[in-house]
Amino acid sequence: MEAENFQNYTLGEIYPNYSLEWEISNFIKVWIAVATSLSYCKFTSKLVPKGLPRLLTFFPVICLFLYLPLNLHSMHLCGTTSFFIAWLSNFKILLLAFNKGPLSDPSLSLPQFLAVGCFPIKIQHNPPPKSQTKQNPSPQNPQNGHKSLWNYAIKVLLVAAFVRIYNYSEHIHPKVILVLYCFHIYFMLEIMFAMVAALARATVGSKLEPQFDEPYLSTSLQDFWGRRWNIMVTSILRPTIYSPALRVWTRVLGRKWAPLPATFVTFMVSAVMHELIFYYLGRGRPTGKITGFFILHGVCLVVEIGMKKVLKGRCRLPPAVSRPLTIGFVVVTGFWLFFPELRRCKGFVRAFDEYMLVAAFVKDIVGGAVRKVQK
């Protein structure tokens, strides 16, 4: 795969009517519609009985949330919005239809309900003591899930350095650029979710579920996908997909082996949702590579879980061996199946152009303020 030349395209060429002001205006309209729709869900959930009647009542909102991301075109705003509402919010609404999930908590105020519905928010009514958290960290709520301010500041600087390096991509080996892409995506996701966490704490005192727990320390695919990468996706896929599938397959295969097909079904649903998000980003017909990526990982994870059940803890590889094998497999398969789709929708080109647009926008605002002061 060749490295992309970041000077070949601009957002204006990809979307002729694109401007930062136009995108921000659409972004505000989309989120007003989201807040209004979730308010409707909260009030109707008190009037309509759970089950099919409530699901039918919520169905227009689910359809609307699938449509709204089509009104956005930037990588950052469209990507995060589609992830938050087309995937997470819709799955939470599906759970609420059956009086389950985080939105079913009757003690939630309207602002808290909106926050939980829009974002990966976890309300902590009675947070455990710090000493207890340190002694008994949960895999779903890792102790180190939230980093220090300095940690995020360093990652912001690294992302800025990557942007500068991309200007010289024609002089750098394509594989090196791809490695930088990996770190770029990881850092940007952490930074964006940290910003959402700060907003949540400032507005409703909510805590954002940690998105990552040092995924580069994963010792297996089960550790990577289940405990360290996209933790909040795992927390929403478990009650909506994995647990129902587990109950069905338990009747067929028994409790010991039912997790294997339940895990594969969960990866299939994740593949469909990732294909949907990539469609929002590129507006092109899916090639199936994203689905192939998750099917491959789903099959490998099923094999891994099955081997662990058979071996019962014997023949376990040391972390010095299992960590590079795990991360190497994720990176190599990502280069093969995942990153070509980002390249096809000009993901990094558009992201780079968005950085430049934001920088120019801020520069104009600061320059205008300075000129007013000077006058």
Side-chain angles (χ1 to χ4, degrees), residues 230-252:
N230 246 348
I231 296 171
M232 58 187 173
V233 168
T234 302
S235 68
I236 200 66
L237 283 175
R238 181 173 293 276
T240 53
I241 308 299
Y242 178 80
S243 295
L246 184 66
R247 288 193 294 270
V248 171
W249 282 103
T250 298
R251 302 190 191 103
V252 180

Side-chain angles (χ1 to χ4, degrees), residues 173-296:
H173 195 280
K175 294 297 187 293
V176 175
I177 295 295
L178 287 176
V179 172
L180 293 181
Y181 288 172
C182 291
F183 284 105
H184 190 157
I185 292 175
Y186 172 47
F187 291 159
M188 281 305 304
L189 286 174
E190 279 212 321
I191 292 167
M192 285 190 291
F193 286 113
M195 293 169 62
V196 176
L199 177 62
R201 286 193 294 269
T203 53
V204 294
S206 304
K207 183 177 181 180
L208 185 69
E209 293 178 349
Q211 172 70 359
F212 302 101
D213 180 19
E214 312 294 349
Y216 43 82
L217 298 179
S218 301
T219 56
S220 66
L221 288 178
Q222 189 176 21
D223 187 30
F224 181 85
W225 291 112
R227 302 183 185 95
R228 294 184 178 274
W229 182 269
N230 246 348
I231 296 171
M232 58 187 173
V233 168
T234 302
S235 68
I236 200 66
L237 283 175
R238 181 173 293 276
T240 53
I241 308 299
Y242 178 80
S243 295
L246 184 66
R247 288 193 294 270
V248 171
W249 282 103
T250 298
R251 302 190 191 103
V252 180
L253 300 176
R255 188 67 180 86
K256 180 178 180 181
W257 299 107
L260 274 63
T263 297
F264 184 74
V265 169
T266 304
F267 268 78
M268 286 297 297
V269 172
S270 180
V272 171
M273 298 312 299
H274 278 86
E275 289 280 16
L276 179 63
I277 291 174
F278 270 85
Y279 174 77
Y280 289 134
L281 293 176
R283 312 294 160 87
R285 179 177 297 178
T287 64
K289 288 185 177 181
I290 296 297
T291 299
F293 175 84
F294 284 96
I295 289 177
L296 175 61

Side-chain angles (χ1 to χ4, degrees), residues 42-185:
K42 177 173 175 60
F43 292 116
T44 55
S45 65
K46 298 178 180 179
L47 304 174
V48 181
K50 67 179 181 179
L52 184 58
R54 191 183 294 181
L55 179 61
L56 293 175
T57 304
F58 291 166
F59 186 71
V61 174
I62 295 173
C63 294
L64 177 64
F65 282 9
L66 292 173
Y67 165 76
L68 286 175
L70 294 173
N71 294 279
L72 302 172
H73 300 85
S74 76
M75 288 296 296
H76 296 87
L77 297 184
C78 180
T80 54
T81 298
S82 60
F83 175 57
F84 284 171
I85 66 172
W87 188 345
L88 296 183
S89 293
N90 268 347
F91 276 40
K92 291 175 183 178
I93 292 172
L94 287 173
L95 289 173
L96 178 61
F98 299 93
N99 213 32
K100 298 180 179 179
L103 294 180
S104 63
D105 184 353
S107 66
L108 292 178
S109 64
L110 180 59
Q112 289 175 329
F113 186 93
L114 295 178
V116 172
C118 293
F119 308 115
I121 299 296
K122 177 179 288 184
I123 301 291
Q124 289 192 338
H125 297 291
N126 297 302
K130 293 183 178 180
S131 58
Q132 180 180 342
T133 304
K134 291 179 181 179
Q135 292 173 2
N136 302 298
S138 168
Q140 278 73 35
N141 189 20
Q143 177 181 340
N144 58 342
H146 300 286
K147 311 297 192 310
S148 67
L149 184 60
W150 283 108
N151 185 288
Y152 291 114
I154 291 172
K155 288 172 181 174
V156 169
L157 293 175
L158 287 172
V159 169
F162 293 160
V163 172
R164 296 297 298 172
I165 291 172
Y166 294 153
N167 285 326
Y168 307 97
S169 58
E170 65 273 12
H171 305 298
I172 303 174
H173 195 280
K175 294 297 187 293
V176 175
I177 295 295
L178 287 176
V179 172
L180 293 181
Y181 288 172
C182 291
F183 284 105
H184 190 157
I185 292 175

